[in-house]
Amino acid sequence: LQYGKLLGIDSQRFIALCDKTDFRRELGIDAASVEGYLMPDTYKFLWQTSEEEILERMVTEFKTFYVDSLRKRQEELKLTLLQVLTLASIVEGEALLDRERPIIAGVYLNRLKKKMRLEADPTVQYAIPDGPRRLLFSDLRYDSPYNTYLYYGLPPGPINSPGRKSILAVLYPEKHTFLYFVADGTGGHAFSKNYSEHQKAVRAYRHMRREATRNQNSPS
């Protein structure tokens, strides 16, 4: 917890509370952790506000946002709240551009419908003990229920606490037939409908990276 010292709280106690069953029940959370239910926002807290108060405030902010109309939409999609937040956390980990969030959510929902593995890099980053860092091919074989390269379906729970835009992207995804995406080198992604198109996009991205590295290393 990077701001623990600034708030005057015990970061280890804060993390422990997130996984404490009795405390989760007091907050009305029916999940294995409060992770995913802590609404990212700008908050003002007094020095040495208790860890409980901070967590309660963040969960309350989430509950204030997640109104009945969103719950109704969740039910229309035949998803549980935990599933919405878990998928939204993956979108949060993937998307840099807000306009791409509904597209990325649509990709993962398409893959789920086709019973394809999600193969989402952020889930591997969450699973490996020394992440986040640049992933290696060997990391994709790291055995964890959170590794969506190995296991089908959604991971057991959120891998971060997604913001409002990622949650809305899952509830209102863009309808399309994309099944793959890869970084395009500009902060966004190239989306593909089949594996052949995806491979072309991957090669284009790798070529761009090689050219960028070559230009950085060339004498000026």
Side-chain angles (χ1 to χ4, degrees):
L1 188 66
Q2 58 181 327
Y3 298 114
K5 290 183 180 179
L6 296 177
L7 289 171
I9 65 171
D10 184 334
S11 59
Q12 293 301 314
R13 184 168 185 272
F14 184 96
I15 293 170
L17 278 170
C18 290
D19 299 325
K20 189 176 179 183
T21 303
D22 291 345
F23 184 64
R24 292 198 310 274
R25 287 174 180 164
E26 289 176 19
L27 296 175
I29 294 174
D30 183 20
S33 172
V34 300
E35 189 163 27
Y37 296 80
L38 305 177
M39 180 57 70
D41 209 335
T42 300
Y43 296 93
K44 291 183 179 180
F45 294 109
L46 295 175
W47 171 254
Q48 288 190 327
T49 299
S50 72
E51 294 83 0
E52 287 92 344
E53 287 180 75
I54 293 171
L55 287 166
E56 286 170 9
R57 171 78 182 282
M58 296 179 78
V59 170
T60 298
E61 195 67 23
F62 165 75
K63 290 181 178 179
T64 301
F65 160 73
Y66 208 78
V67 292
D68 289 345
S69 60
L70 298 186
R71 290 186 181 277
K72 184 179 179 181
R73 175 60 178 167
Q74 166 203 313
E75 292 168 1
E76 289 172 357
L77 295 173
K78 295 180 172 56
L79 296 172
T80 66
L81 176 56
L82 183 62
Q83 288 172 329
V84 169
L85 294 178
T86 300
L87 184 50
S89 73
I90 297 175
V91 173
E92 186 77 22
E94 291 280 18
L96 292 177
L97 305 178
D98 287 342
R99 61 179 171 79
E100 287 193 352
R101 294 180 196 274
I103 307 174
I104 292 172
V107 169
Y108 286 129
L109 286 167
N110 286 345
R111 292 180 73 89
L112 286 171
K113 287 175 185 175
K114 288 182 175 290
K115 301 189 184 306
M116 300 170 66
R117 284 187 293 263
L118 295 184
E119 297 184 352
D121 288 357
T123 65
V124 182
Q125 295 280 15
Y126 184 83
I128 58 177
D130 59 340
R133 57 169 170 75
R134 185 174 178 180
L135 293 178
L136 306 173
F137 283 113
S138 58
D139 294 322
L140 306 185
R141 298 189 296 273
Y142 183 80
D143 192 9
S144 164
Y146 284 90
N147 185 348
T148 56
Y149 277 85
L150 289 182
Y151 294 95
Y152 287 88
L154 290 165
I159 59 172
N160 56 52
S161 285
R164 295 172 177 84
K165 291 178 180 177
S166 291
I167 295 171
L168 290 174
V170 171
L171 292 173
Y172 299 94
E174 185 170 311
K175 292 184 178 180
H176 53 62
T177 56
F178 296 131
L179 291 172
Y180 304 90
F181 62 92
V182 65
D184 63 6
T186 65
H189 295 86
F191 297 88
S192 304
K193 296 179 181 179
N194 56 58
Y195 190 67
S196 177
E197 288 181 5
H198 177 59
Q199 286 298 93
K200 289 179 182 178
V202 169
R203 286 194 293 270
Y205 173 65
R206 288 174 178 168
H207 175 74
M208 183 185 300
R209 282 187 56 184
R210 285 195 298 269
E211 288 298 310
T213 301
R214 186 178 297 118
N215 291 336
Q216 288 176 355
N217 294 334
S218 63
S220 57

